[in-house]
């Protein structure tokens, strides 16, 4: 039996999050940055400059960027967790086939309320498995995401 607080939170995710996840999957980028990357031999190459907004003279940094990938209907989110540390996670809830949204430093599932850390670990169910994450290497200019 679901408690009242969890029920309200789940309803809010569904009402607010569903349109956001749909727009994310359709590529509507209002505030969401889909990065340009190249794919070769099972490795996605992403320039670190994709995390720079370039909006003003002061360079601001994005906390995450999304990548459309050929192997899934869901994008991969590359989240910057430190000065030169990144985590790449598939934006698909492991509980059910539902797209995730980035919300307040976590990944949230608008379908059933699961929450995941930016490292892809389950914070709140009903999901019981962590997100699919990918090995990453970095150099001075690029992030290499090993898909295969």
């Amino acid at each position: 039996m679901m408690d009242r607080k969890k029920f309200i939170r789940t309803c809010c995710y569904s009402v607010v999050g569903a349109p956001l996840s749909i727009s994310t999957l359709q590529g509507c980028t209002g505030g969401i940055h889909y990065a340009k990357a190249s794919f070769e031999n099972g490795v996605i190459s992403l320039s670190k400059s994709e995390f720079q907004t370039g909006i003003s003279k002061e360079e601001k940094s994005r906390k995450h960027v999304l990548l459309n990938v050929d192997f899934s209907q869901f994008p991969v989110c590359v989240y910057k967790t430190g000065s030169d540390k990144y985590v790449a996670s598939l934006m698909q809830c492991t509980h059910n086939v539902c797209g995730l949204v980035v919300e307040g430093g976590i990944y949230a599932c608008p379908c059933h309320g699961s929450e995941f850390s930016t490292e892809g670990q389950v914070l709140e169910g009903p999901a019981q498995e962590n997100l699919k994450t990918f090995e990453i290497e970095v150099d001075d200019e690029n992030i290499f995401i090993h898909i295969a």
Side-chain angles (χ1 to χ4, degrees), residues 68-122:
N68 283 321
V69 292
D70 291 337
F71 64 86
S72 175
Q73 72 185 50
F74 301 98
V76 168
C77 184
V78 182
Y79 209 100
K80 188 172 185 176
T81 60
S83 63
D84 206 28
K85 296 184 181 189
Y86 303 86
V87 177
S89 302
L90 186 63
M91 298 289 289
Q92 178 182 357
C93 184
T94 57
H95 169 249
N96 206 345
V97 181
C98 192
L100 301 173
V101 294
V102 180
E103 181 180 279
I106 62 168
Y107 297 122
C109 179
C111 296
H112 299 108
S114 293
E115 296 178 351
F116 302 87
S117 71
T118 56
E119 289 82 23
Q121 297 167 333
V122 175

Side-chain angles (χ1 to χ4, degrees), residues 19-64:
L20 291 175
S21 67
I22 290 168
S23 67
T24 297
L25 295 175
Q26 292 176 345
C28 178
T29 60
I32 298 169
H33 180 69
Y34 277 86
K36 294 177 185 169
S38 61
F39 181 74
E40 187 175 327
N41 298 324
V43 178
I44 297 173
S45 299
L46 171 66
S47 173
K48 290 181 182 178
S49 66
E50 290 286 346
F51 283 84
Q52 300 303 313
T53 62
I55 290 175
S56 65
K57 291 181 181 178
E58 292 180 24
E59 283 292 316
K60 294 186 178 180
S61 182
R62 294 181 175 96
K63 291 185 179 185
H64 66 279

